[in-house]
């Protein structure tokens, strides 16, 4: 029995881990960087008042790049795809879940 392996997977397996990580970091919207920046944080609007005890756990959405959108996990998926746009998913409490270029 023959198995088909997607070309991107073959390329990823053939590359060294550092080269693959470097290629992944060069995504058009820098999703990996934003994932590290936002991991475990609550996204707040500028007018939201944050208590001092959560200051290190929060992030102001106005500090995100201009080309971004924030979707809640319960939002319907939208069909427009823009690879240079940072798309951020948050849960019901506005806690960061994931970031993608789309």
């Amino acid at each position: 029995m023959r198995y088909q392996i997607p070309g991107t997977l073959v390329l990823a397996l053939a590359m060294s881990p550092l080269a693959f990580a470097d290629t992944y970091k060069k995504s058009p919207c820098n999703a990996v960087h934003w994932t590290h920046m936002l991991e475990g944080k609550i996204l707040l609007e500028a007018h939201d008042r944050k208590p001092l005890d959560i200051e290190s756990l929060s992030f102001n959405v106005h500090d995100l790049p201009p080309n971004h959108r924030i979707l809640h996990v319960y939002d319907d998926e939208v069909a427009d795809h823009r690879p240079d746009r940072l798309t951020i998913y948050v849960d019901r409490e506005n806690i960061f879940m994931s970031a993608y270029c789309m």
Side-chain angles (χ1 to χ4, degrees):
M1 178 180 280
R2 296 186 75 182
Y3 294 98
Q4 290 285 343
I5 300 174
T8 53
L9 180 59
V10 171
L11 179 62
L13 293 173
M15 297 172 72
S16 72
L18 291 176
F20 181 70
D22 189 47
T23 302
Y24 188 61
K25 285 181 190 173
K26 293 178 183 173
S27 64
C29 72
N30 210 357
V32 173
H33 165 75
W34 288 105
T35 297
H36 292 298
M37 290 280 295
L38 300 173
E39 199 165 30
K41 301 221 175 171
I42 302 167
L43 296 177
L44 299 174
E45 295 288 335
H47 56 79
D48 292 338
R49 304 191 92 202
K50 53 185 171 186
L52 292 176
D53 59 335
I54 68 159
E55 188 157 339
S56 65
L57 299 175
S58 61
F59 192 88
N60 192 318
V61 296
H62 296 290
D63 294 330
L64 291 170
N67 194 19
H68 78 276
R69 67 178 171 178
I70 299 172
L71 298 175
H72 290 86
V73 292
Y74 51 83
D75 287 342
D76 290 331
E77 190 68 35
V78 291
D80 66 325
H81 177 73
R82 295 173 45 198
D84 62 327
R85 176 178 51 202
L86 177 66
T87 299
I88 296 171
Y89 285 94
V90 296
D91 66 8
R92 293 185 188 277
E93 287 82 32
N94 273 359
I95 297 174
F96 172 80
M97 295 186 66
S98 58
Y100 301 98
C101 298
M102 54 188 254

